[in-house]
Amino acid sequence: MIKIAPSILSADFCKLGSEAAEIKAAGGDWLHVDVMDGLFVPNISIGLPVLKSLRRATDMFLDVHLMIDRPLRYVQRFCECGADLVNVHVEADTEENIRKAIEIIKKNGKKAGVTIKPGTKAEAIVPFLDDVDLVLVMTVEPGFGGQRFMSDQLPKLSRVRVLLDEAAGDRLLEVDGGVDADTAPLCAKAGAEVLVAGSAVFGRADRAAAIHAIRDNCNMI
Ligand code: DX5
Ligand code: ZN
């Protein structure tokens, strides 16, 4: 079963509450929350207070994607502000500190994910596999919505799928960047189970139709 996680990066930030409600009614499974610090990525988006307000506005599963440098400094507070899952980038700190960040997320009773950028090898997730619930593979350079899907990342997605299948226990494979009704089936075929879609959902007036198109095309593979 494919889960679709619309990214609120492409939403209207003046009306996040109603945007979240609309996505829920339209059949979205999770809400993806992109946090950017202007340091790890060349853009600044939203942070703790916005997550806290969003938490009060919706009961949807909040999938928080931290595109921030040294996330260990902030994971506790993102858990307290209502994240259900916190994703940290393996490139954002030392292996030891990423491990500590994951430990804090789990201690808070939340789900933890590790994320890799397009230039990072699939094997970079291996040191964290035993401790995470999800692996997120980026199919654009993180920082901006609306970019073109990097199809050269598909072999890596398949490779991560193999690594997850070889490991004991269940972990989800998530993909983020340029996912739309055309590229979603390619991701599903490579083994992705959670599809983040920003502009492909929020850029369309009929969000339900956008979500259904992604889901239907994945079900056809
Ligand atoms: C990019 C973000 C993505 C982005 C996806 O840095 O992590 O979640 O919002 O947007 P689209 O689907 O438009 O590529
Ligand atoms: Zn994201």
Side-chain angles (χ1 to χ4, degrees):
M1 266 296 271
I2 291 287
K3 287 188 196 302
I4 299 174
S7 165
I8 59 157
L9 187 62
S10 300
D12 182 345
F13 287 148
C14 283
K15 47 173 188 170
L16 268 190
S18 61
E19 293 276 58
E22 200 177 328
I23 290 304
K24 187 178 176 183
D29 298 293
W30 292 0
L31 263 192
H32 184 80
V33 181
D34 285 308
V35 178
M36 304 179 184
D37 67 349
L39 197 60
F40 183 71
V41 289
N43 198 6
I44 298 176
S45 57
I46 53 166
L48 294 159
V50 177
L51 178 64
K52 203 170 172 183
S53 296
L54 192 60
R55 176 71 296 163
R56 281 198 294 262
T58 182
D59 61 359
M60 283 190 84
F61 185 93
L62 297 180
D63 166 27
V64 176
H65 178 191
L66 294 184
M67 285 165 276
I68 67 174
D69 188 49
R70 289 167 291 145
L72 175 59
R73 300 173 295 155
Y74 289 103
V75 284
Q76 176 66 34
R77 281 191 270 167
F78 277 98
C79 290
E80 287 165 2
C81 284
D84 292 298
L85 183 149
V86 181
N87 273 303
V88 291
H89 269 268
V90 301
E91 306 90 353
D93 207 338
T94 61
E95 185 180 318
E96 188 189 353
N97 284 345
I98 295 299
R99 203 184 295 285
K100 282 185 190 160
I102 292 167
E103 206 174 293
I104 292 171
I105 298 164
K106 298 299 292 181
K107 269 197 185 132
N108 277 273
K110 311 293 186 175
K111 296 205 182 304
V114 275
T115 307
I116 49 177
K117 296 204 284 186
T120 304
K121 287 199 173 77
E123 284 69 23
I125 62 162
V126 172
F128 311 104
L129 262 192
D130 284 345
D131 306 309
V132 295
D133 303 285
L134 174 148
V135 173
L136 169 57
V137 173
M138 296 294 305
T139 41
V140 297
E141 286 299 338
F144 300 91
Q147 300 182 76
R148 200 185 160 85
F149 180 81
M150 296 169 69
S151 48
D152 62 352
Q153 295 300 305
L154 286 168
K156 189 169 84 183
L157 199 58
S158 305
R159 174 72 188 136
V160 173
R161 177 77 266 164
V162 169
L163 292 171
L164 295 187
D165 291 344
E166 281 172 0
D170 277 342
R171 277 163 216 89
L172 290 169
L173 178 54
E174 181 174 29
V175 63
D176 182 8
V179 176
D180 59 20
D182 294 326
T183 56
L186 307 174
C187 299
K189 207 169 177 182
E193 297 154 307
V194 185
L195 308 178
V196 176
S199 43
V201 172
F202 284 100
R204 298 261 305 267
D206 188 342
R207 276 87 191 256
I211 291 170
H212 289 154
I214 294 171
R215 209 185 294 283
D216 288 352
N217 287 0
C218 289
N219 287 339
M220 279 196 291
I221 63 162

